[in-house]
Amino acid sequence: MFKKLFALFAAVLLFTGCTTIESTQKFNAVDLGSGEEKAICQTFVEIDGLFFCGLPLIVGSARGDGQCAFFRYNLTNENIVYLLTRAVKSHGATRMTNVQVNSHTIPVFLLFSYRSMQGSATGLRGKSAVMRQVKSEFNGF
């Protein structure tokens, strides 16, 4: 019985405590921007972790995708928005819209719980910035 519990706990540790950042730039020919702005990307961020009596054991890190931290509470709005803005800027967006952040807690075993915080946003860039980029790429034409 003890071996089964240990295996379950090891599996939970293996699959938690990671930061995930995903972006897409494919909108299936649907224009998500306004007249002056163009949607560049839709980005999703998730930080999750394993907690014991409310104390963090292994939690995703605000350093980036695939990172983790031990005994640090990183499930904050500030970290989610930081990762969102960093990912959106890396795609060339100058503004974010439709920012949503949510969190949930799931009891795992006895005093252990799994917590997750997720956020998403749409990255926008002004049409004038797009035109400047096109001009620079094609040497002013």
Side-chain angles (χ1 to χ4, degrees):
M1 178 70 174
F2 182 71
K3 288 182 181 180
K4 289 181 182 179
L5 288 176
F6 182 74
L8 175 67
F9 185 70
V12 168
L13 277 177
L14 181 66
F15 293 110
T16 61
C18 187
T19 299
T20 305
I21 302 172
E22 297 179 10
S23 288
T24 184
Q25 294 179 300
K26 296 183 180 183
F27 297 112
N28 296 326
V30 175
D31 188 17
L32 296 180
S34 65
E36 293 299 316
E37 294 178 314
K38 177 180 171 45
I40 300 297
C41 63
Q42 177 67 32
T43 302
F44 171 79
V45 171
E46 180 178 21
I47 300 176
D48 60 359
L50 183 66
F51 289 75
F52 177 73
C53 293
L55 300 172
L57 296 178
I58 180 170
V59 182
S61 175
R63 290 182 295 169
D65 195 18
Q67 301 293 317
C68 68
F70 295 96
F71 311 114
R72 292 193 56 162
Y73 187 81
N74 291 324
L75 300 177
T76 64
N77 282 339
E78 182 179 356
N79 287 341
I80 294 291
V81 172
Y82 169 74
L83 290 169
L84 279 172
T85 54
R86 195 169 77 181
V88 165
K89 281 183 179 181
S90 72
H91 289 290
T94 57
R95 189 170 83 87
M96 281 191 326
T97 187
N98 301 330
V99 178
Q100 297 179 358
V101 177
N102 63 33
S103 64
H104 65 276
T105 301
I106 301 171
V108 176
F109 178 73
L110 294 177
L111 300 174
F112 291 94
S113 62
Y114 169 82
R115 293 184 186 177
S116 176
M117 190 164 220
Q118 304 166 342
S120 67
T122 303
L124 302 171
R125 182 169 44 183
K127 299 266 180 165
S128 59
V130 173
M131 293 305 292
R132 281 194 303 272
Q133 181 183 2
V134 169
K135 282 184 178 182
S136 68
E137 287 179 6
F138 292 103
N139 297 325
F141 290 108

